[in-house]
Amino acid sequence: MPSDAPARINDFVIKFSNVNGSGSASANTLFAKSIMRMGVPVSPRNIFPSNIQGLPTWYEVRVCEAGYLGRRGGVDFMVAMNPQTWDKDLAEIEPGGYLFYDSSKPLPKSRFRDDVHTIGMPLTQICNRTYSDPRERQLFKNIIYVGALSAMLGMDLAEVEKLIGEQYKGKERLLEPNIKALHMGRDYALEHLPRIDLAVRRADAVGEKIFLEGNSAAALGAVYGGATVAAWYPITPSSSLAEAFARHCKRLRHDPESGKARYAIVQAEDELASIGMVIGAGWNGARAFTATSGPGISLMQEFIGLAYFAEIPAVIFNVQRGGPSTGMPTRTQQADITACAYASHGDTKHVLLLPEDPKECFEMGAQAFDLADRLQTPIFVMLDLDIGMNERLCEPLAWDDSHRYDRGKVMTSEELEAGKDFGRYLDVDGDGIAYRTYPGTHPTRGAYFTRGTTKDRYARYSETGPDYVDNVQRLLRKLETAKELVPAPHLRPAKRATRTGVIYYGSTSPAMHEALDQLEAQGLDLDALRVRAFPFSDDVSEFIADHDRLFVVEQNRDAQLRSLLVNECVIDPARLVPILHFDGTPITARFIAGEIGQQMKAMNVMPLRKVVQ
C-alpha cells in the first residue's frame, strides 16, 4: 500500500456495485454530491436493471478536477457489495487499483487479483452488532461505507454531514442515526484501514455550474417554451420528463389569484392516444408535447405522418434507450435517429434537435415549440437515457424575458375580414410554409377541412397527381427553410491544419472532448463538428467537403447519423468512417481515442513531428 502522499488527487473513477432495492442509490449519490460540494467536478452515472428488486446495479462516479464529464473507461476503486457480480467487478479494476469489499465472510486468495490492492471491512459484522432490524442493517451499511470512503479519500466530513442534514430536513428522527452510521464507518477506517494513493482535496473547479438531469431540464424548457398540454404514457427512460413537467407546472403555472391550473397533463391509456391528444391540442392552437422512447415512437408512426402531412405543430421528446423491441429499457443508445428523421410511411422528413447536456435540453426543449409553430410540423427533441436520467454538471440555465413566442404564419380575423386570400396549403412566400387559422377565428371565413389525404392548395380533397406533387414538394421547401432555423453545428478546429475530421452529436459530446485532447497530445489533429440538428445546415456539407476523411462517432450499431449524412448531403460513403459503440453503456473517451487513433495509423495519418536541426 502507498505510504507517501496521495499520488492521484481529484482524478479517478470509483464504481459501486450493489443490489437493486438495497437503498444504495441515495448513499452513492450522497458520496458524489459531497465531492462536488468540495469544488471538484463529478460525473455520476447510474446503471440499473429494468426488471425486479435484487438484480445487480452499479453507480459510477468520475472525479475529475480538469472538468471532463464523460466516461473515461476503467475503474480505479471498486466498492464491491454484490457477490453475484464479483468476478465481473474485479475484472474492471485497473492494475494497481483498489477493491473494497465486505470482509465479514472470508474469501479464498483465488478470488482476488495480485495486481489490485484489496481492502476488506467487516460491514455486515459491524451492522449486526449495532442494529437489530434487518432493514436498518442493510440501509446503514451503505452509509457506513460512505463514512469509510470519506476517511480513505480525505473528504471533508462537514460537507457529507451537511448533505445528510438537507436530505432529512424535517425528518430529524432519521438524521441522527445516519450521522452516527457515517462516523462509525469513518472511525473504523481511520483506525483499521490502510492509506491509499487516491484523494479528494478541496478545489474551485465547479464554479457557477449547476447539477441536474436532462429530463428535468427539458421539462423546464417546455414550460418556458409555452407548453400548456402534455399527454404521455409511462415508459423508461422518459417518464421522469413528464413527471418533472408536472412539478414545474405546479410551481409556475397556477394562477396566483384563483389558484387554478393553467395547463393540462393527461396520462393516456397508451402511446397512440397520447400523440393523438397532442396533435389535437396543436391543431387547436395550444403548444403540446409528449415524452416517450423508441417503442413509443414505433407505435406513434401513423399519427406522426398525419401531423406531418396535415401540418400540425407537435413536440415529441424521445429519450432513447437500447432497442429494438423492448431491447434494453434501462441502457442508453442513440439508435432512433433514422426512425425519427423519416418517421411514418411514405415520403416524410422531420426536424430533429440533438442536445448535448441539460443546458441544451432546456434551450432546445423551449425552442422546439417555436419551431413547431413556425414550421407547422412535428419537432423531435432527441435525448437518451444517459443525458436524460443522469445528473450532470452544466452551465446555469438562462432565459431572455424579452423573448416572444414565434407562432408562425397565423391569419387573423381582421385579415380574413379584409378579404385576404386564405389557402391552408398555399405557399405565398416561397418558404414552403402556408398560413393557418385557429378554430373559430372568423364566423364565416378561414375554415378548412384538416386532411391526412391528398388535397389541393385550398384544402379541398384531390386525387390528381399535380396536386399531390405540388404539396409534397412544398413540404421539401419547408425543410429547406428549417435548415436556417434549427441550431447551427458547433465547430472545434484543430490547432494545426488538417484534412481529417470527426462528426459527433448529443450525449457523446463530453467523452468526445476528452478524446480529442488525448489525440491532440499524441500529435493526431482532427477538426471536430458537433451536429445539433437535422436537417443539416450547409455548414455540415461544407465541413465534409473540406476534409478528405471523416470519422462519425455515434452510439448505435448501424451508423445512423452516417447514413443520414450520406443520404442528405450526397456523400461518398467511403469518406465517412464509422466509430460505433452500442453495448448500452455510455461511450468512453478511452474507446473513442483508441478507435480513432488506430484508424488514423492504419490510414497512414502520422503525427506532425518537430524537425531537429
Side-chain angles (χ1 to χ4, degrees):
M1 288 293 174
S3 57
D4 300 322
R8 299 178 60 184
I9 298 173
N10 297 345
D11 184 17
F12 57 89
V13 176
I14 183 168
K15 192 169 185 177
F16 299 83
S17 172
N18 299 100
V19 174
N20 193 35
S22 64
S24 59
S26 60
N28 298 341
T29 303
L30 172 71
F31 170 83
K33 289 185 176 180
S34 298
I35 295 176
M36 187 177 65
R37 289 285 183 91
M38 293 176 64
V40 182
V42 298
S43 181
R45 284 173 170 82
N46 191 16
I47 305 168
F48 55 97
S50 62
N51 294 333
I52 57 174
Q53 182 171 307
L55 290 180
T57 183
W58 293 270
Y59 189 82
E60 182 178 292
V61 182
R62 174 84 184 271
V63 179
C64 183
E65 187 175 348
Y68 292 124
L69 299 178
R71 289 185 71 218
R72 184 200 70 188
V75 175
D76 302 305
F77 194 113
M78 178 68 73
V79 180
M81 294 291 114
N82 188 355
Q84 293 177 316
T85 60
W86 177 274
D87 293 336
K88 178 180 178 181
D89 297 334
L90 187 65
E92 278 195 74
I93 305 172
E94 300 276 272
Y98 297 89
L99 170 71
F100 177 89
Y101 76 107
D102 183 354
S103 60
S104 299
K105 181 179 179 180
L107 294 174
K109 186 178 179 180
S110 60
R111 299 300 304 278
F112 300 96
R113 280 172 50 185
D114 293 336
D115 62 343
V116 167
H117 302 296
T118 301
I119 302 172
M121 181 174 175
L123 290 163
T124 300
Q125 292 180 9
I126 293 170
C127 289
N128 289 347
R129 288 197 305 264
T130 310
Y131 308 103
S132 57
D133 181 80
R135 183 60 177 163
E136 284 188 344
R137 287 174 175 175
Q138 178 58 61
L139 293 176
F140 287 121
K141 180 190 290 187
N142 303 319
I143 301 299
I144 289 171
Y145 73 58
V146 170
L149 292 174
S150 74
M152 286 187 286
L153 295 170
M155 294 167 57
D156 188 338
L157 186 64
E159 295 291 1
V160 190
E161 291 177 332
K162 184 178 179 181
L163 274 169
I164 293 176
E166 293 173 7
Q167 182 175 341
Y168 293 107
K169 186 177 182 180
K171 302 176 182 177
E172 275 64 30
R173 64 183 184 83
L174 298 175
L175 176 59
E176 185 177 343
N178 276 276
I179 295 293
K180 179 181 177 182
L182 178 73
H183 280 269
M184 193 184 308
R186 185 177 179 89
D187 292 344
Y188 184 93
L190 290 172
E191 183 176 352
H192 299 286
L193 300 184
R195 296 185 63 183
I196 63 175
D197 67 358
L198 306 176
V200 179
R201 296 289 182 265
R202 188 170 289 279
D204 187 20
V206 174
E208 298 299 317
K209 289 186 174 69
I210 59 175
F211 196 57
L212 79 165
E213 296 176 348
N215 279 355
S216 182
L220 188 61
V223 174
Y224 275 80
T228 57
V229 176
W232 65 294
Y233 182 76
I235 181 172
T236 302
S238 71
S239 295
S240 62
L241 196 157
E243 292 162 354
F245 181 73
R247 292 195 304 271
H248 295 321
C249 283
K250 286 180 181 178
R251 182 167 54 91
L252 300 170
R253 281 282 178 79
H254 280 263
D255 185 273
E257 295 182 2
S258 66
K260 291 184 178 179
R262 296 183 292 188
Y263 58 92
I265 301 174
V266 182
Q267 182 175 321
E269 62 267 33
D270 54 34
E271 285 89 351
L272 282 78
S274 66
I275 188 62
M277 293 175 189
V278 167
I279 293 170
W283 172 84
N284 202 44
R287 291 192 156 189
F289 76 90
T290 189
T292 189
S293 192
I297 296 295
S298 297
L299 291 169
M300 296 176 184
Q301 293 288 303
E302 188 171 357
F303 261 137
I304 292 170
L306 169 64
Y308 173 77
F309 202 48
E311 299 180 66
I312 300 171
V315 172
I316 302 169
F317 291 96
N318 180 2
V319 190
Q320 299 166 89
R321 69 190 208 185
S325 187
T326 304
M328 297 188 291
T330 59
R331 299 292 187 264
T332 194
Q333 278 189 358
Q334 296 173 314
D336 296 343
I337 301 300
T338 51
C340 291
Y342 303 129
S344 198
H345 55 279
D347 291 324
T348 55
K349 288 184 183 179
H350 303 288
V351 175
L352 313 183
L353 305 183
L354 309 170
E356 72 163 345
D357 64 4
K359 183 175 187 290
E360 285 198 344
C361 289
F362 170 76
E363 293 170 348
M364 293 184 185
Q367 184 182 13
F369 293 92
D370 275 352
L371 288 170
D373 271 351
R374 176 76 176 273
L375 296 167
Q376 300 172 26
T377 197
I379 306 293
F380 290 84
V381 185
M382 305 294 291
L383 293 80
D384 57 39
L385 185 147
D386 183 33
I387 193 173
M389 292 193 68
N390 287 316
E391 291 179 299
R392 187 176 298 178
L393 281 169
C394 68
E395 295 297 326
L397 309 184
W399 182 256
D400 182 0
D401 287 331
S402 67
H403 177 79
R404 294 295 176 265
Y405 298 143
D406 184 351
R407 300 309 299 247
K409 296 182 180 181
V410 180
M411 197 166 288
T412 65
S413 177
E414 292 75 18
E415 290 171 322
L416 291 167
E417 184 67 29
K420 189 171 182 178
D421 185 23
F422 174 70
R424 177 61 187 95
Y425 303 107
L426 175 65
D427 180 7
V428 298
D429 301 314
D431 60 2
I433 305 170
Y435 278 84
R436 62 175 173 147
T437 57
Y438 297 136
T441 295
H442 191 279
T444 60
R445 301 174 182 174
Y448 63 94
F449 194 90
T450 304
R451 298 182 183 278
T453 53
T454 311
K455 57 270 183 180
D456 67 10
R457 295 178 178 182
Y458 290 86
R460 296 173 299 212
Y461 181 80
S462 170
E463 292 190 22
T464 66
D467 282 339
Y468 174 79
V469 171
D470 177 68
N471 203 36
V472 295
Q473 285 185 333
R474 181 180 55 79
L475 292 174
L476 273 184
R477 289 200 302 276
K478 183 194 291 191
L479 205 73
E480 288 297 312
T481 299
K483 291 181 180 181
E484 304 302 318
L485 301 176
V486 297
H490 278 179
L491 172 66
R492 172 178 162 162
K495 291 183 178 179
R496 292 173 290 206
T498 177
R499 297 286 295 176
T500 306
V502 60
I503 298 174
Y504 62 102
Y505 64 104
S507 65
T508 302
S509 185
M512 192 74 235
H513 293 167
E514 184 176 6
L516 287 168
D517 287 345
Q518 292 176 3
L519 291 164
E520 183 182 282
Q522 299 171 32
L524 299 174
D525 298 298
L526 297 96
D527 294 325
L529 190 76
R530 179 167 67 88
V531 175
R532 299 203 297 155
F534 174 81
F536 305 123
S537 70
D538 292 341
D539 292 337
V540 176
S541 297
E542 291 169 7
F543 180 82
I544 295 173
D546 287 342
H547 295 85
D548 298 327
R549 193 64 58 92
L550 293 123
F551 301 98
V552 183
V553 181
E554 48 188 319
Q555 299 180 73
N556 58 68
R557 183 197 69 182
D558 293 341
Q560 295 184 21
L561 178 66
R562 177 178 177 271
S563 296
L564 279 183
L565 291 167
V566 169
N567 290 343
E568 301 295 329
C569 302
V570 194
I571 303 298
D572 176 6
R575 295 178 58 204
L576 301 180
V577 181
I579 303 294
L580 306 175
H581 177 89
F582 49 89
D583 68 358
T585 62
I587 197 168
T588 68
R590 186 175 292 179
F591 172 84
I592 296 172
E595 290 291 308
I596 291 180
Q598 186 177 13
Q599 293 271 6
M600 290 182 76
K601 289 173 184 175
M603 296 172 191
N604 230 3
V605 179
M606 302 304 295
L608 294 173
R609 302 184 185 279
K610 291 182 179 180
V611 178
V612 179
Q613 299 292 335

